[in-house]
Amino acid sequence: MLTTNPFETLDGDKLREECGIFGIWGADNAAGFVALGLHALQHRGQEAAGITSYDGAHFHSHRAMGHVAGNFDRDDVMRKLPGRAAIGHVRYSTTGETALRNVQPLYAELNDGGFAVGHNGNLSNAMKLRRTLNRRGSIFQSTSDTEVIIHLVATSQAASPTDRLIDALKQVEGAYSLVVLTEQGLIACRDPLGIRPLVMGKLGEATIFASETVALDVIGASFIRDLDPGELVIVNGSGLRSFRPFEKASARPCIFEHVYFSRPDSIVDGTSVYEVRKNIGAELSREAPVQVDLVVPVPDSGVPAAIGYSQESGIPFELGIIRSHYVGRTFIQPSQEVRHLGVKLKHNANSALIRGKSIVLIDDSIVRGTTSVKIVQMMRDAGAREVHMRIASPPTKYSCFYGVDTPERAKLLAAQMSIEAMRDYINADSLAFISIDGLYRALGQDRDPNAPQRCDACFTGDYPTRLTDLAESDPDASLALVAAR
Ligand code: AMP
């Protein structure tokens, strides 16, 4: 069993991050568009934000802790980010030191000029590469896995800047969607398995890349297409070129983007997140029906699945829990104590509705179980007669090493307990999760167990890449991971 986080660095800052990225080429006041795009991607990371622009002669950068609004709605800041090209990043790193030096875009002066990069994902061999680079004399400025890419580019012997980036990316394992700003153009790239999303859009003459389509919507840009897994696109004054430099692999886009991470109004890998979540609710109702008075979502993430559950079962949908929108995501709190407080701050029972009723609560996932324990108790305190719980994803049994924040395995409730023990722990009258096959059906796919079409490692332990750092830092943990499957 995994009890330590192999990605924790010496100063306690985890390399694992949740992030959103945005890049634009060919628009006046490019940084202004990036600020708006990042605002629409704020749900992907709320700890810090940064923008780097290029004005044809110089790079300009502003990186700050905190939200996009408050940092990038200020004239004095935006005036310092001139140019017709810019990239940006929102970041959430889990715990430990929250240092400004890790806030992206990261920037370096390389042989061919400035190089700024924003990364969504996580490299599973970053520590190993870093050790090798360190031995060869690289001096790292941050504890971020993304900086490894910069050093690999800097030390590559390939002929052109693009070839040096490709050379670097051929050495990394794991998940990466990237936006890279150089003097030669804006580059966007998706890892060979396409684990994290990345879309391309257009606004007038300008080309845009973003983690999700909502970031195109917010500036009125039109969606062109998803970047293909393993595709690298360069846009500059000579137009747009697409490359597929990596060995072809079967795509494995992250299934959790659909379950929780992406905004419901985004289209991810060609599918509406909202529709998928409603389908999950309908599947869940067929797989795990229950006779109750009301279907109640845990807001906001449980809402679309609850609508689907209600429509399929014919049981009325009601807002039995009201969420305050002035508190951040429960999960994203520095300590267990604050996380508990966060849940109380965030949700309140609609007691007048709940009293005397039997209800089924719908949430997207159970991670540590903190939310479920509190919410079930809240419903009982509000006078609910029966409280059943249905979860719109399979049990989360494995940590993510590809850029979605999940705690170490030891803290994942489903890794520690049977479903019956979990039911008892959260004090629900019944508890059921959607099956992995049901989840794929909601996405319109038949899961092929021998070649799954998605990365579903958080539910199955079937990691689609090598986990070199994990295997090297803790061989027992990596063996246990395989054995536990
Ligand atoms: P927990 O309270 O630890 O069981 O966490 C479950 C709650 O956190 C669910 O209501 C989800 O909406 C939310 N959640 C699940 N995964 C994540 C994540 N990776 N980042 C932030 N929130 C999450």
Side-chain angles (χ1 to χ4, degrees), residues 190-346:
R190 209 169 164 197
D191 68 67
L193 303 180
I195 296 176
R196 303 256 70 86
L198 191 59
V199 299
M200 178 157 67
K202 196 121 196 92
L203 181 66
E205 292 304 299
T207 302
I208 298 148
F209 302 98
S211 295
E212 293 180 39
T213 55
V214 286
L216 302 178
D217 297 342
V218 74
I219 57 168
S222 49
F223 168 76
I224 298 179
R225 62 178 178 86
D226 287 288
L227 256 72
D228 287 334
E231 183 180 8
L232 184 144
V233 175
I234 305 176
V235 50
N236 56 26
S238 338
L240 190 144
R241 276 174 303 155
S242 162
F243 301 84
R244 284 175 173 74
F246 309 110
E247 224 167 88
K248 199 156 170 45
S250 302
R252 299 287 293 273
C254 166
I255 206 160
F256 201 67
E257 291 279 347
H258 279 283
V259 167
Y260 171 81
F261 202 28
S262 293
R263 252 172 61 165
D265 44 342
S266 277
I267 311 288
V268 173
D269 285 313
T271 323
S272 152
V273 174
Y274 182 75
E275 280 304 314
V276 169
R277 288 185 190 162
K278 265 176 57 179
N279 293 345
I280 295 174
E283 280 286 342
L284 196 49
S285 148
R286 288 190 288 271
E287 286 187 0
V290 59
Q291 291 289 329
V292 285
D293 300 325
L294 303 175
V295 175
V296 173
V298 178
D300 290 330
S301 49
V303 171
I307 293 173
Y309 196 100
S310 162
Q311 287 178 352
E312 181 67 17
S313 63
I315 302 168
F317 168 98
E318 291 285 1
L319 296 179
I321 302 164
I322 302 302
R323 177 186 160 184
S324 162
H325 286 99
Y326 305 100
V327 191
R329 285 184 170 192
T330 310
F331 204 84
I332 302 180
Q333 301 290 348
S335 69
Q336 192 68 19
E337 295 74 45
V338 182
R339 210 174 284 127
H340 275 279
L341 181 66
V343 173
K344 272 189 261 166
L345 280 173
K346 195 167 152 184

Side-chain angles (χ1 to χ4, degrees), residues 56-297:
H58 299 105
F59 286 81
H60 309 269
S61 191
H62 184 77
R63 303 180 298 158
M65 305 308 295
H67 289 188
V68 178
N71 281 307
F72 292 99
D73 53 359
R74 293 168 35 193
D75 279 347
D76 56 327
V77 169
M78 297 311 291
R79 261 201 308 273
K80 291 182 191 150
L81 295 168
R84 290 174 53 78
I87 61 171
H89 189 266
V90 285
R91 166 183 198 260
Y92 166 64
S93 103
T94 46
T95 56
E97 188 204 16
T98 50
L100 199 53
R101 65 202 169 108
N102 284 335
V103 178
Q104 299 190 20
L106 297 182
Y107 178 78
E109 294 282 347
L110 303 185
N111 236 346
D112 331 282
F115 182 99
V117 56
H119 172 201
N120 174 207
N122 187 69
L123 308 180
S124 55
N125 66 342
M127 300 288 260
K128 181 174 186 178
L129 289 169
R130 192 184 173 102
R131 279 194 297 272
T132 310
L133 286 159
N134 267 332
R135 274 197 297 273
R136 290 187 193 148
S138 289
I139 298 166
F140 280 77
Q141 306 285 327
S142 75
T143 55
S144 159
D145 58 334
T146 309
E147 196 183 344
V148 165
I149 296 174
I150 297 183
H151 288 275
L152 290 174
V153 173
T155 52
S156 167
Q157 301 302 310
S160 75
T162 313
D163 286 342
R164 281 195 278 285
L165 177 60
I166 292 169
D167 185 25
L169 295 178
K170 283 186 174 166
Q171 297 172 63
V172 306
E173 282 169 13
Y176 55 87
S177 281
L178 301 176
V179 283
V180 177
L181 191 57
T182 70
E183 291 173 18
Q184 294 79 31
L186 171 63
I187 304 172
C189 182
R190 209 169 164 197
D191 68 67
L193 303 180
I195 296 176
R196 303 256 70 86
L198 191 59
V199 299
M200 178 157 67
K202 196 121 196 92
L203 181 66
E205 292 304 299
T207 302
I208 298 148
F209 302 98
S211 295
E212 293 180 39
T213 55
V214 286
L216 302 178
D217 297 342
V218 74
I219 57 168
S222 49
F223 168 76
I224 298 179
R225 62 178 178 86
D226 287 288
L227 256 72
D228 287 334
E231 183 180 8
L232 184 144
V233 175
I234 305 176
V235 50
N236 56 26
S238 338
L240 190 144
R241 276 174 303 155
S242 162
F243 301 84
R244 284 175 173 74
F246 309 110
E247 224 167 88
K248 199 156 170 45
S250 302
R252 299 287 293 273
C254 166
I255 206 160
F256 201 67
E257 291 279 347
H258 279 283
V259 167
Y260 171 81
F261 202 28
S262 293
R263 252 172 61 165
D265 44 342
S266 277
I267 311 288
V268 173
D269 285 313
T271 323
S272 152
V273 174
Y274 182 75
E275 280 304 314
V276 169
R277 288 185 190 162
K278 265 176 57 179
N279 293 345
I280 295 174
E283 280 286 342
L284 196 49
S285 148
R286 288 190 288 271
E287 286 187 0
V290 59
Q291 291 289 329
V292 285
D293 300 325
L294 303 175
V295 175
V296 173

Side-chain angles (χ1 to χ4, degrees), residues 18 256 260 301 331 363-371 404-405:
E18 298 184 330
F256 201 67
Y260 171 81
S301 49
F331 204 84
D363 202 357
D364 63 277
S365 56
I366 293 182
V367 182
R368 295 177 176 85
T370 318
T371 310
V404 172
D405 168 52

